[in-house]
Amino acid sequence: MNILHINSNYDQSKIYPNMSGYLIQNQNNKGRVYYPVDNLDKLSIDIPYFLDISNCLGKFDRFFYFRRNRKLLLDVEKLYDMNDFSYTLAYSLFSNGYLAYSLYRKYNIPYIVIVQNTDVNMYFKKVIFLRNMGREILKNASKIVFLSQPYKEFVINKYVKSSDVSIIQQKSVVIPFGIDDFWFENIYFGKKQANNKEIKLLFVGRVNENKNVESIVKASKKLMQKGYRITLTIVGDIEDKNIGSQLRQYKFINYIPYVDKRKLLQIYRQSDIFIMPSIKESFGLVYAEAMSQGLPVIYTRGQGFDKHFK
């Protein structure tokens, strides 16, 4: 089976190179990843043999949805013989799924689509004129992959027409992203229960408004007022400078910039509880990483990690 992977966010997360590489290598090295960009100078990634980077977009194309996708269709047809592919895999519903849908309409190539956080909380929620297009892409997909049960239920209950619910349900599956093999190779069972009055909290991720770090600070303060000794370690890039400056005011917060996974492994093992109360989260690999190191995790009800474990 030869699959064309369509991923306009290939360099946004390490999960995509790992995932694409794994899928292609397990199909006897069959498959290509199509990665359209608007600026080659911004790229700082390794380029594997299966990746085709195309500088076919302009910086304003993201504001013109249908024009952008017409350009992508023409570009793909120049790059590939579409008869070589038996499937396409779109790594998001709106940004990539429309191209997969267009190839299906023109060449009858079936496609699978992954529904991401931005599809749910940006496109479906805010870009109202594209909702029907999103429904059309879902209706014609061979399979629809949701990263979590809450997102599957939310999209089907809120945005799918009642006449289409049954057909969408039948071809929808929940498949979360997988953590790096490194965490499975270094699973830790030696975790001790936290001291009743001394608790080491850990947050790992980008510090921005969506990650809701302020709520962790408020909870920590309340616990300290009740006599607990709290240490909060925050690991990750600070994207919101206002939040960052507020965090630096507190002596109980230990901020660590980006670290590699071997250093992060030790930080997980030295902590007692992992907490990331994101406002919106499609999955959250760090929850699973923390669990692999024996940490209990606190996450947001109704978001990505909810319902994967009882």
Side-chain angles (χ1 to χ4, degrees):
M1 185 183 295
N2 197 7
I3 300 174
L4 176 61
H5 301 246
I6 305 170
N7 192 344
S8 58
N9 295 308
Y10 180 85
D11 69 333
Q12 299 300 306
S13 171
K14 291 180 181 178
I15 186 67
Y16 296 133
N18 291 343
M19 181 177 170
S20 303
Y22 184 86
L23 290 173
I24 290 170
Q25 287 160 14
N26 278 273
Q27 289 289 331
N28 297 318
N29 295 326
K30 283 189 175 181
R32 306 297 303 174
V33 176
Y34 174 64
Y35 176 31
V37 300
D38 61 12
N39 190 342
L40 285 173
D41 295 335
K42 293 180 181 178
L43 297 180
S44 58
I45 57 172
D46 294 328
I47 301 177
Y49 69 90
F50 52 76
L51 181 65
D52 299 315
I53 302 173
S54 178
N55 190 20
C56 64
L57 296 174
K59 61 180 180 180
F60 296 112
D61 280 334
R62 59 196 174 106
F63 299 110
F64 302 96
Y65 183 79
F66 293 102
R67 187 182 77 177
R68 172 185 181 273
N69 281 284
R70 283 194 295 271
K71 289 177 75 170
L72 294 180
L73 179 60
L74 289 171
D75 190 53
V76 161
E77 290 175 322
K78 289 178 184 176
L79 284 174
Y80 307 109
D81 180 352
M82 298 314 301
N83 293 316
D84 290 342
F85 298 104
S86 48
Y87 261 93
T88 57
L89 172 58
Y91 281 69
S92 66
L93 175 61
F94 286 92
S95 294
N96 301 290
Y98 187 69
L99 176 56
Y101 169 77
S102 300
L103 292 169
Y104 163 74
R105 291 288 301 273
K106 191 167 184 178
Y107 297 97
N108 201 31
I109 303 172
Y111 64 92
I112 301 166
V113 63
I114 302 172
V115 181
Q116 300 271 12
N117 176 32
T118 52
D119 296 317
V120 179
N121 295 304
M122 200 273 276
Y123 283 102
F124 264 134
K125 185 177 180 180
K126 298 178 180 179
V127 191
I128 297 172
F129 74 93
L130 287 180
R131 284 182 184 172
N132 282 334
M133 190 70 257
R135 295 185 186 110
E136 191 70 12
I137 296 168
L138 291 174
K139 256 174 70 173
N140 288 277
S142 295
K143 213 74 174 175
I144 304 163
V145 178
F146 290 91
L147 303 181
S148 68
Q149 186 65 26
Y151 272 31
K152 175 188 170 187
E153 294 171 0
F154 181 76
V155 169
I156 292 175
N157 293 335
K158 188 171 179 65
Y159 295 115
V160 173
K161 292 180 179 179
S162 56
S163 57
D164 296 327
V165 165
S166 178
I167 189 171
I168 298 298
Q169 285 274 22
Q170 289 174 17
K171 55 188 176 183
S172 293
V173 294
V174 175
I175 306 176
F177 284 150
I179 58 176
D180 194 289
D181 284 345
F182 172 83
W183 303 104
F184 292 106
E185 293 162 0
N186 292 278
I187 287 176
Y188 186 58
F189 295 104
K191 197 71 200 161
K192 295 179 181 178
Q193 189 172 359
N195 184 297
N196 284 336
K197 285 293 181 180
E198 187 172 342
I199 303 173
K200 297 176 182 177
L201 298 175
L202 175 64
F203 167 93
V204 177
R206 297 173 179 173
V207 179
N208 55 40
E209 189 175 359
N210 180 61
K211 297 300 183 182
N212 202 13
V213 179
E214 299 98 318
S215 289
I216 310 175
V217 174
K218 289 178 183 177
S220 299
K221 286 180 179 179
K222 288 184 178 181
L223 287 170
M224 287 188 285
Q225 289 170 2
K226 294 181 179 181
Y228 292 91
R229 295 187 297 279
I230 301 295
T231 302
L232 170 59
T233 299
I234 295 175
V235 181
D237 295 330
I238 294 178
E239 294 184 338
D240 189 313
K241 292 182 179 179
N242 290 330
I243 296 174
S245 61
Q246 292 173 28
L247 296 178
R248 292 187 179 94
Q249 298 174 18
Y250 302 108
K251 293 183 179 179
F252 68 89
I253 294 179
N254 175 31
Y255 172 67
I256 302 172
Y258 174 83
V259 294
D260 65 31
K261 56 192 175 186
R262 295 195 177 278
K263 176 62 177 174
L264 185 57
L265 177 86
Q266 299 305 318
I267 295 172
Y268 278 131
R269 292 182 180 181
Q270 292 162 7
S271 304
D272 298 316
I273 299 170
F274 180 85
I275 176 169
M276 189 172 77
S278 303
I279 297 169
K280 304 293 183 185
E281 193 73 58
S282 53
F283 179 60
L285 292 171
V286 284
Y287 298 117
E289 290 177 1
M291 288 180 71
S292 78
Q293 300 309 303
L295 283 180
V297 297
I298 298 174
Y299 51 86
T300 306
R301 183 185 292 121
Q303 290 303 308
F305 205 67
D306 195 15
K307 299 187 178 180
H308 283 298
F309 298 91
K310 290 183 179 179

